[in-house]
Amino acid sequence: MGAILLGAVMLAALFAPWLAPYDPIKYFDNRNALRPPGREFLLGTDNIGRDQLSRLLFGARISLTVGLAVEGVAVAAGTLAGLLAGYFGGRVDEVVSWLVNLTFAFPGLLLAIATMAVLGPGLTNVIVALALVSWPGIARLVRGEALRVREQEFVTAARALGARDALILVRHVLPNCVAPLLVAATLGMAGAILDESALSFLGLGVQPPHPSWGSMLGRGRDYLWAAPWLTTFPGVCILVTILGLNLLGDGLRDVLDPRMRGSK
Amino acid sequence: MLLPLVVGITLVTFVLMNVIPGDPTISLMDPKRGQLDPQAAERIRQRWGLNDPAYLQYLKFLFNAVRGDLGFSFRFNQPVTRIILERFPATLELGLAALVIATAVGVPGGIAAAVRQGGWLDASLMGFCVAGVSMPVFWLGLLLMYLFAVKLGVLPAGGYGSPSFLVLPSLTLGLSSMAMLSRMTRSAMLEVLRQDYIRTARSKGLAERVVVYKHALRNALVPMVTVMGVQAGWLLTGAVITENVFGWPGVGRLLVDCIGQRDLPVVQGCVLFTVGMFALVNLVVDVLYAYIDPRIRLGR
C-alpha cells in the first residue's frame, strides 16, 4: 500500500517534464489567474495564472530530492559516527554522544528553523539544515546496535582470528544495522519531506518561483476564500507522500523485525 | 552531564547568530537616510561591546542569559526578555489547550481500542492515527479554517481574543499529538493486559472496569508519560507553525517574524527560550516518572 502511493509520487517526479501540460515557472498569464479546476487547467491556476497541475508534478521532484538527499547525508554521517562511537567507546563515544544530546535538546524543527535563519532560504540550505537535525537519530540507533553486537561471540571470534577493527566493523557490525537503518531512513525521509514543506510554508525554505508544495500552500493561504483549490491539492500531495513513506516504514519494520510481529 | 550540554546549547545559539556576515549596526540605519555616521556606529559598537573578541562576547551573553537578560532588540527598542514574556502566555494557552485535547481524546481512545483489540473501533482508530501522524499541521489548519471559518462561518479564521479564537488553532495543534498518544496508549495497554497479574485480577472476579482502570492503566502510564513529554516538545515547535497559520500572537510567530526582519537578538532569545521550556518539560516528565512508578527514584 505504502509502496504504491510512493511509487505514484516517484513516477510523477520522474516524468514531470512529459506529464506536465504547461511550464511550471515560466508559463504564466495574468488573464488566467485563479481559474478554478476545469478542462483547460485540470487543477486550476494560481494567483498569477500558472498551471497548478504542472507545478505539483515538479513539486514532487523537490520533495523527493530533499527527502533522499537529507536521508542520504544523515545515514552516511550517522552510521559512521554511530559505528565509531559504539564500537570504540571512550573519547569518541563521549564526543558523539554529546553532539547527539545537544541536537536532541532542541525540540523538533527549532534547530532547523534557527539554521535556516542563519543560512537564508534555498533548496541546498534546506537540505543542509535538515541533515544537521537528522543524523543524530541515526547515530544513536547505530551506536546502540554496535554496542550490542560488539559484545557478541562472533565478534570476539573474528578478533581472535586477527581481523582488523575496520574489517570487523564493515563485515560484522554493519550488516546487523542494515534492517533497523532501512526502517529509520524510510520514516526519516517522511519526516524530512514534511519538515521541508513546513519550512517552505513558513517562508524559510524553498523560495518562489520554485514549486515546493509547502510554499504553494503558504501562498495559497492568502487565497483561501477566493481559490480553495490552491491549498487543497498541494496538501493532498504532501499527505499522500508522507502517508506512503510512513506505511512503507511500518511495513518494513513488521517484515524485518521479528520482535515486533504479533504485537501489532 | 548537564553543564556541558548547557554550554553547548548556548554556544550553538550564539555561534549561529554571530556567523552572519555584516555589521549589526547597519540594521540600525534608516536606509532612506543613507549612511550612518561612522562615529555614531563606533559609539554603538562600543556601547554594546561589539568590538570585544568573540569569546568575551559569548561569556557576556552566557552570563546575561543566566540572569534572564537575553539582550536588546533594536527594532522593538525593548529588552528581548520582555518581548518574549509578553508573547509567551498566548503560546502557553495554545499549547495547554492542545495538550488537553490530545489527552482527553487520545488516552480514552487508546484504552478503548486496546480493550476491544481487532474490533471496528480499534481498526478505525489506528487508521486515524496513521493519517493523523502523516498530516501536515499547516494543511490541517487551513482545512479547518476553510471548513469552519469560510464555509460554515461559525468560528474566526484567525487572531486572538475570546475562547472561540482558540478552538481551531488548538485542534490543529492537538490532532497529531492525539494520534501519537492514542497509538502509544493502545500498545502500552495491550502489553500490560497480557500479563499474569491481570489474569489473576480477572480470575478473582474483579469487574472488568476495575481491572482495566485500576490494575492495567497504572502500569501503562510510564510509556504514556514518555510520549506526552515527547509530544510537549513537538507542541512547542508545532506551535510555531500553528501560530503562523492562524496569526496567533505567540512566541512562534514572533520567531518567524523576526527571522524575516533579521532581528537576530529576538531570534536568538526565542530559540534559547524554547529550548529552556523543552528542558523544563523533560524535567517535569522525569519527576512524574518517580511519582507514577515508585521503583524509579531520582538520583539513585
Side-chain angles (χ1 to χ4, degrees):
Chain A
M1 181 63 194
I4 297 172
L5 290 180
L6 191 64
V9 177
M10 284 174 126
L11 284 180
L14 212 57
F15 295 109
W18 293 279
L19 289 172
Y22 301 94
D23 187 282
I25 297 171
K26 287 194 201 111
Y27 176 83
F28 62 89
D29 186 347
N30 282 325
R31 281 167 301 172
N32 287 331
L34 298 181
R35 286 270 193 93
R39 190 169 287 177
E40 200 182 346
F41 301 99
L42 273 178
L43 296 181
T45 59
D46 67 4
N47 56 318
I48 55 170
R50 288 176 299 198
D51 177 46
Q52 182 161 228
L53 176 63
S54 311
R55 289 179 65 73
L56 287 175
L57 285 168
F58 278 92
R61 292 190 152 188
I62 293 189
S63 287
L64 290 180
T65 308
V66 169
L68 286 173
V70 167
E71 275 321 295
V73 176
V75 166
T79 307
L80 187 68
L83 276 182
L84 296 178
Y87 186 76
F88 291 110
R91 263 289 145 79
V92 189
D93 191 21
E94 268 171 36
V95 172
V96 170
S97 296
W98 179 71
L99 281 174
V100 168
N101 286 331
L102 189 59
T103 326
F104 277 117
F106 290 84
L109 259 183
L110 190 68
L111 189 57
I113 291 177
T115 314
M116 290 310 290
V118 175
L119 297 177
L123 182 61
T124 325
N125 291 347
V126 172
I127 294 173
V128 171
L130 290 179
L132 200 67
V133 295
S134 302
W135 75 268
I138 303 282
R140 183 178 271 190
L141 177 91
V142 173
R143 176 179 173 269
E145 285 294 310
L147 269 177
R148 196 176 57 79
V149 174
R150 187 178 66 168
E151 302 304 327
Q152 309 227 326
E153 277 168 15
F154 65 85
V155 173
T156 321
R159 199 175 293 137
L161 288 170
R164 287 173 189 280
D165 284 332
L167 185 78
I168 295 179
L169 275 175
V170 174
R171 287 281 285 279
H172 300 286
V173 183
L174 193 58
N176 279 289
C177 305
V178 169
L181 259 180
L182 205 60
V183 175
T186 313
L187 296 176
M189 235 181 106
I193 292 177
L194 199 57
D195 288 348
E196 181 274 320
S197 62
L199 287 174
S200 299
F201 176 81
L202 292 175
L204 305 171
V206 178
Q207 290 300 90
H210 296 287
S212 154
W213 293 337
S215 65
M216 288 170 74
L217 265 174
R219 284 287 147 120
R221 193 197 125 174
D222 301 336
Y223 302 93
L224 193 60
W225 269 256
W229 59 89
L230 286 181
T231 45
T232 314
F233 296 113
V236 172
C237 290
I238 301 175
L239 180 65
V240 165
T241 312
I242 305 300
L243 200 60
L245 281 164
N246 277 340
L247 289 173
L248 188 67
D250 283 349
L252 279 175
R253 170 157 46 204
D254 291 344
V255 175
L256 295 173
D257 189 353
R259 276 168 300 177
M260 293 298 286
R261 237 175 253 166
S263 70
K264 196 178 161 233
Chain B
M1 200 53 230
L2 196 63
L3 196 65
L5 220 52
V6 171
V7 171
I9 291 163
T10 48
L11 198 60
V12 167
T13 323
F14 178 81
V15 169
L16 275 180
M17 296 307 149
N18 284 277
V19 293
I20 299 167
D23 186 344
T25 52
I26 289 173
S27 64
L28 287 177
M29 282 189 292
D30 185 348
K32 284 181 201 131
R33 268 190 282 162
Q35 286 295 311
L36 184 73
D37 125 56
Q39 275 184 330
E42 185 56 32
R43 271 205 304 280
I44 291 164
R45 279 197 213 96
Q46 290 271 331
R47 179 161 173 228
W48 297 99
L50 297 172
N51 286 338
D52 295 341
Y55 73 92
L56 200 63
Q57 285 193 42
Y58 167 69
L59 285 179
K60 268 189 192 162
F61 163 71
L62 186 63
F63 185 63
N64 288 334
V66 167
R67 294 186 311 171
D69 175 6
L70 293 172
F72 191 85
S73 162
F74 298 113
R75 193 166 70 88
F76 288 89
N77 206 21
Q78 270 185 3
V80 173
T81 312
R82 193 195 292 165
I83 302 169
I84 292 177
L85 287 181
E86 258 167 30
R87 303 290 198 102
F88 181 58
T91 300
L92 190 66
E93 189 184 333
L94 177 62
L96 284 181
L99 195 62
V100 167
I101 290 175
T103 316
V105 182
V107 172
I111 295 174
V115 171
R116 296 182 202 82
Q117 191 190 3
W120 63 267
L121 183 76
D122 189 20
S124 49
L125 193 78
M126 285 308 104
F128 161 76
C129 284
V130 178
V133 173
S134 305
M135 188 89 176
V137 198
F138 41 94
W139 189 46
L140 176 69
L142 290 176
L143 283 183
L144 290 175
M145 198 193 274
Y146 182 67
L147 186 64
F148 289 100
V150 179
K151 280 281 156 189
L152 300 174
V154 287
L155 289 167
Y160 184 66
S162 64
S164 65
F165 285 90
L166 183 61
V167 178
L168 291 183
S170 56
L171 258 181
T172 304
L173 185 56
L175 190 97
S176 73
S177 297
M178 189 196 292
M180 287 298 279
L181 198 57
S182 62
R183 183 143 91 165
M184 198 61 218
T185 305
R186 175 180 174 275
S187 65
M189 284 297 283
L190 281 179
E191 192 76 21
V192 174
L193 281 172
R194 235 183 256 161
Q195 293 186 6
D196 288 340
Y197 78 98
I198 295 293
R199 198 173 343 143
T200 312
R202 277 190 182 136
S203 63
K204 70 179 183 184
L206 287 180
E208 186 65 21
R209 195 165 38 86
V210 179
V211 175
V212 171
Y213 287 98
K214 219 169 158 199
H215 290 69
L217 185 60
R218 225 187 130 82
N219 270 305
L221 272 179
V222 171
M224 279 158 60
V225 167
T226 311
V227 176
M228 273 197 214
V230 174
Q231 287 308 309
W234 147 248
L235 288 177
L236 281 170
T237 43
V240 176
I241 298 167
T242 313
E243 285 175 7
N244 278 286
V245 173
F246 289 99
W248 189 262
V251 179
R253 180 130 167 270
L254 179 70
L255 172 64
V256 175
D257 281 353
C258 288
I259 291 175
Q261 312 262 7
R262 318 290 305 153
D263 189 348
L264 294 174
V266 181
V267 174
Q268 182 174 266
C270 286
V271 170
L272 213 54
F273 182 79
T274 311
V275 173
M277 292 318 292
F278 186 48
L280 200 64
V281 168
N282 282 328
L283 187 69
V284 171
V285 168
D286 282 348
V287 173
L288 271 179
Y289 281 148
Y291 179 73
I292 293 168
D293 188 345
R295 283 171 301 182
I296 303 170
R297 280 285 170 238
L298 294 175
R300 62 204 138 119

